[in-house]
Amino acid sequence: MNNKSEIRDTFGRKFEYLRLSITDECNFKCNYCLPDGYARTHEKQFLSQIEIQNLVIAFSELGTKKVRITGGEPSLRKDFSSIVNIISLINGIEKVAATTNGYRLKKNAHHWIEAGLDAINVSVDSLDANTFNLITGKNIFNKVIDGVNAAISAGYRQIKINSVLMKGINEGDLIHFLAWIKDHPIQLRFIELMQTGNNEVFFNKHHVSGETIKSYLLKSGWMKKVPLSHDGPAQVFMHPSYQGEIGLIMPYSKDFCKNCNRLRVSSIGKLHLCLFGDEGINLRDLLQVKSNKEKLKKRILTALTDKKESHYLQAGITGATPHLASIGG
Ligand code: SAM
Ligand code: SF4
């Protein structure tokens, strides 16, 4: 029996979407995220399968319908497929998605869909193999693209490509990305580079607004889609001659936080009300046994009363987040 309710904050925003990090480890060295590679800052005690199950059941009973599994690189966990399966079987969860750097996608696209994964976001910051290598520190561009193609043939409900916009690095890629989605049914998401605790110098050098792309698209026959309640903060564009769509994530734009629909839990069980918030609220002591479910739900609801109306990124305040791999981007 699922006692479904809904979570709203004091600004009326509804939270049906949970982003769950299952590890903060990563095997890439993206220049905007982990330029020096992963360095462990705590004992390796990521959420266990039981803890994940208890957590998602509580969220589901509070109205969560969609869970995105992220990291670090979530597919580095050997039990990734089992975690997908556990979440997909929870009453009330309608969609299980994951965000990946694509390293293990080619081999596993079919297994993951069988385990219950509905949707996948793959990070591809450039369609030029050398630039891809320069950005990620991994010379495996073709393997990642093969992974995307494997995901297309596996039949995922939704495939999105995440690409972080970086001045002077991948600006020239727009034309190639557009050619790619002309006959591929994927949503290409351009994400504005965000400042985090560790990347201030890089951010100041390479941040570029998504507005330039937006005006280019509008001049070239692309139309903005009417936002659906579950779209969240992305602005989505479509074109009659293209199979694919474009999503723009512009965290520095006015009203970005107005449509916030997500809560985050880190790989060590802390609830984060915002990517750029404070240290997070510990939930872990309530995750070991099912009988703590009502206490857990109460703690989540109480925490939510503190969710701020907006982040303060425009003022350069990045909160306690050193990089997005730390709490799950
Ligand atoms: N490792 C997986 C990946 O890269 O897809 C999942 C975790 S990663 C933190 C999630 C997303 O956050 C990726 O699409 C990545 O490009 C994006 N990201 C990381 N740091 C960012 C930043 N500073 N600004 C904008 N996007 C960022
Ligand atoms: Fe790893 Fe993803 Fe961060 Fe790149 S963006 S370093 S793949 S966690």
Side-chain angles (χ1 to χ4, degrees), residues 33-169:
C33 183
L34 294 174
D36 302 319
Y38 174 72
R40 184 166 300 142
T41 53
H42 55 83
E43 277 307 297
K44 192 176 176 179
Q45 286 173 328
F46 302 126
L47 293 174
S48 68
Q49 293 179 25
I50 294 285
E51 289 174 312
I52 289 172
Q53 188 175 39
N54 288 335
L55 177 85
V56 178
I57 289 174
F59 267 94
S60 163
E61 291 188 11
L62 288 171
T64 295
K65 293 182 180 153
K66 172 176 166 187
V67 178
R68 175 172 300 282
I69 307 170
T70 182
E73 175 47 40
S75 67
L76 291 187
R77 265 187 73 156
K78 292 198 170 60
D79 59 351
F80 178 71
S81 292
S82 306
I83 292 172
V84 167
N85 192 246
I86 286 168
I87 297 175
S88 74
L89 295 175
I90 291 174
N91 198 8
I93 299 301
E94 295 168 7
K95 189 169 178 184
V96 187
T99 302
T100 175
N101 59 26
Y103 185 76
R104 299 217 156 127
L105 186 57
K106 185 179 171 187
K107 259 196 184 156
N108 291 291
H110 281 87
H111 302 311
W112 296 343
I113 211 167
E114 275 163 23
L117 195 64
D118 299 296
I120 195 146
N121 283 20
V122 190
S123 296
V124 183
D125 293 321
S126 175
L127 288 181
D128 174 80
N130 289 329
T131 312
F132 181 94
N133 183 12
L134 189 90
I135 295 170
T136 60
K138 282 273 178 200
N139 199 5
I140 54 161
F141 171 75
N142 288 325
K143 178 175 161 181
V144 172
I145 295 299
D146 287 351
V148 174
N149 289 328
I152 294 173
S153 33
Y156 282 88
R157 247 161 80 184
Q158 189 173 51
I159 300 173
K160 293 180 185 169
I161 301 297
N162 288 353
S163 184
V164 178
L165 296 167
M166 288 173 277
K167 186 163 62 186
I169 297 181

Side-chain angles (χ1 to χ4, degrees), residues 55-299:
L55 177 85
V56 178
I57 289 174
F59 267 94
S60 163
E61 291 188 11
L62 288 171
T64 295
K65 293 182 180 153
K66 172 176 166 187
V67 178
R68 175 172 300 282
I69 307 170
T70 182
E73 175 47 40
S75 67
L76 291 187
R77 265 187 73 156
K78 292 198 170 60
D79 59 351
F80 178 71
S81 292
S82 306
I83 292 172
V84 167
N85 192 246
I86 286 168
I87 297 175
S88 74
L89 295 175
I90 291 174
N91 198 8
I93 299 301
E94 295 168 7
K95 189 169 178 184
V96 187
T99 302
T100 175
N101 59 26
Y103 185 76
R104 299 217 156 127
L105 186 57
K106 185 179 171 187
K107 259 196 184 156
N108 291 291
H110 281 87
H111 302 311
W112 296 343
I113 211 167
E114 275 163 23
L117 195 64
D118 299 296
I120 195 146
N121 283 20
V122 190
S123 296
V124 183
D125 293 321
S126 175
L127 288 181
D128 174 80
N130 289 329
T131 312
F132 181 94
N133 183 12
L134 189 90
I135 295 170
T136 60
K138 282 273 178 200
N139 199 5
I140 54 161
F141 171 75
N142 288 325
K143 178 175 161 181
V144 172
I145 295 299
D146 287 351
V148 174
N149 289 328
I152 294 173
S153 33
Y156 282 88
R157 247 161 80 184
Q158 189 173 51
I159 300 173
K160 293 180 185 169
I161 301 297
N162 288 353
S163 184
V164 178
L165 296 167
M166 288 173 277
K167 186 163 62 186
I169 297 181
N170 60 359
E171 276 170 313
D173 273 63
L174 176 63
I175 231 73
H176 305 297
F177 274 122
L178 288 179
W180 192 33
I181 62 166
K182 199 156 173 59
D183 45 16
H184 286 90
I186 46 190
Q187 188 187 104
L188 183 60
R189 308 202 115 193
F190 290 115
I191 309 174
E192 259 183 43
L193 177 64
M194 298 175 225
Q195 187 181 344
T196 55
N198 286 1
N199 75 0
E200 186 181 354
V201 174
F202 186 89
F203 173 85
N204 288 334
K205 197 164 167 201
H206 297 292
H207 175 258
V208 54
S209 164
E211 286 296 341
T212 325
I213 292 189
K214 184 172 171 180
S215 37
Y216 174 83
L217 293 176
L218 292 174
K219 273 191 225 142
S220 321
W222 289 80
M223 288 162 286
K224 193 168 167 200
K225 284 176 78 175
V226 179
L228 302 170
S229 65
H230 56 260
D231 277 344
Q235 301 184 38
V236 183
F237 299 82
M238 53 161 285
H239 191 293
S241 318
Y242 286 74
Q243 273 196 46
E245 291 181 333
I246 297 197
L248 278 180
I249 318 254
M250 301 198 286
Y252 293 86
S253 65
K254 194 173 148 284
D255 294 340
F256 178 77
C257 301
K258 241 187 187 160
N259 300 319
C260 183
N261 61 351
R262 59 210 56 197
L263 293 171
R264 295 183 152 83
V265 173
S266 74
S267 58
I268 50 168
K270 286 191 173 182
L271 171 66
H272 291 266
L273 302 173
C274 176
L275 255 185
F276 304 100
D278 52 20
E279 289 293 336
I281 299 112
N282 184 36
L283 302 178
R284 197 139 197 198
D285 57 307
L286 296 178
L287 297 180
Q288 276 70 43
V289 289
K290 282 195 174 77
S291 53
N292 277 331
K293 188 174 69 183
E294 293 309 318
K295 280 191 198 153
L296 177 59
K297 283 159 71 177
K298 197 166 167 212
R299 192 178 292 172

Side-chain angles (χ1 to χ4, degrees), residues 26-30 32-34 71-73 101 123 325:
C26 189
N27 55 340
F28 279 29
K29 295 180 177 179
C30 296
Y32 47 82
C33 183
L34 294 174
E73 175 47 40
N101 59 26
S123 296

